[in-house]
Every structure is written in structure tokens, then in C-alpha cells.
Amino acid sequence: MEGVPMWLQAGGWGLLAGAALLIGAFVGYHFEVPARLVAAIMAFGSGVLISALSFELMDEAFETGGFPATALGFLAGASVYTLANWWLAHGGARHRKRSNCQPSEQEHGGSGRAIAVGALLDGIPESIVIGLSMLGGGKVSLVAVSAIFLSNVPEGLSSAAGMKKAGRGAAYIFGIWGAIALASGLAALAGFTLFEGVPPAGVAATNAVAAGAILAMLADTMIPEAFEEAHDFAGLITVLGFLAAFALSKTAG
């Protein structure tokens, strides 16, 4: 991408990772994908994300800001996400990543809006990380992009299938995921432009906040969905995802 402004590169990488939501939504809307396959991909993506936040976010935050600042940011990110997710769950978005138990508007008024906001809540911390990874060196973290892309495919797939079963139309479904893919690009762009020039300690604290939010999201939404369908194999598949991302972080570094 030589010659392309860095801020535009950041937005492009975020848009690429977010586009996986549309790919998953297209497959989930038009094809009957076995629930166990979706769960396996979700477990693998969870492992990849856990590895990315461990070695790309938390480790960097600790090296730059020390343990107290890292721990505070980590807990703050998890707390904010958990409170927001609790509020959205009561609005009908509790099962937004599931393919078989999303409520319709008739069953729970406003649930469609809550699901959309919940999906946005899940994606923003991940995308900001992409922009943050380009600060300083100018090279995007391939581990972060790969992790977010891999986790977004089953998320879009499972959610779109659930939306369709709940009676929501194609325009609504693809409108939501298209908007969130665009928001992912904008969030990555913001992660780069807003934090350019910020002291390393500030960037490290933001990485820790994002890591806490991502881990809370995994524990609240993706891992339960993966375990429900993949059962005893969910743990092993998650470990394989973690190992794959760990290997990529070492070879890319």
C-alpha cells in the first residue's frame, strides 16, 4: 500500500475485517449451514481473539504502561462492555449471535434495534485495535486483522440466520451488517487518527480497555454459542485457534 495515506490504510484494514460480517450474513441468509460447523468456526475465532488480546494488546500495554494502568484499563473495558451488554440484553439482544432463538419484533418490541446496537458494540473495540496497531511502525497487526475477520464470519452467519428465522427481511439484515462493516472501517480510522501523537502510555491504556471489552464479549456471547453446539469439542477447537494466532504472531514478528 505504498503511497496510500496511513489513515486511509487503517480504515481499509478495518473495513476488510468488518466485511467478514457481510460474507457470513450472505452465507447464513442463503444457505442452511450446520449449527455445529458454525459453532466450530466461532470457537476457533474465539481462540484466535483470545490469543490476539493476550499477545498483541495486553502484553504491549504491560510493557508500555505497567501493571496497574493495564489492569485498570482491562477491568474498565470489561465493566463498560458488561453493563452495556446487560442493558441491551433486556432490550431483546441477548441472543443476537445465535441462529435459533432470536426474538421477533412481535415477541419483543425494539429487539431489532437492540440487536443492531449490540452488534455494533461487539465490533467497535476490535476495530479500534486495528488502527492502534498501525501507530508508530505504520504496519498493521496481521494477527489482529485475522482474528477479527475469523470471528466476524460466524458472527454474521449465525446472527443473519437467526434474524431470518425471526422474520426480519433481507434489506434489514444486510443493511445492519453493511452499516456495521462501514462502522468497523471508521472505528479503525479513528483508532489511528485520534491517537496519533498520543503518548505511548495512553495508547497502551486504550489497548487494555479494548482487550477487556473483547474478552468480556467472548465470554458473554461467542463462547456460550460455540459450546452449546460443539459441546465437548469447543475447548479443543478454541485451543487450536489460539495456537494458530500465536504462531502467526511469532512468524509475523
Side-chain angles (χ1 to χ4, degrees), residues 102-178:
Q102 288 187 22
S104 65
E105 284 296 320
Q106 290 72 31
E107 293 170 331
H108 197 304
S111 59
R113 181 176 62 254
I115 289 170
V117 175
L120 189 63
L121 172 70
D122 296 339
I124 292 302
E126 301 172 347
S127 302
I128 289 176
V129 165
I130 292 176
L132 292 176
S133 75
M134 297 183 66
L135 293 172
K139 289 179 64 177
V140 72
S141 168
L142 292 178
V143 176
V145 174
S146 301
I148 296 165
F149 190 95
L150 283 172
S151 66
N152 279 345
V153 171
E155 177 181 346
L157 195 161
S158 183
S159 296
M163 290 177 182
K164 184 178 180 181
K165 288 179 181 178
R168 296 184 169 92
Y172 175 87
I173 294 170
F174 291 105
I176 280 183
W177 294 118

Side-chain angles (χ1 to χ4, degrees), residues 177-205:
W177 294 118
I180 293 173
L182 180 60
S184 297
L186 294 174
L189 187 153
F192 178 80
T193 57
L194 296 181
F195 288 88
E196 194 174 17
V198 171
V203 176

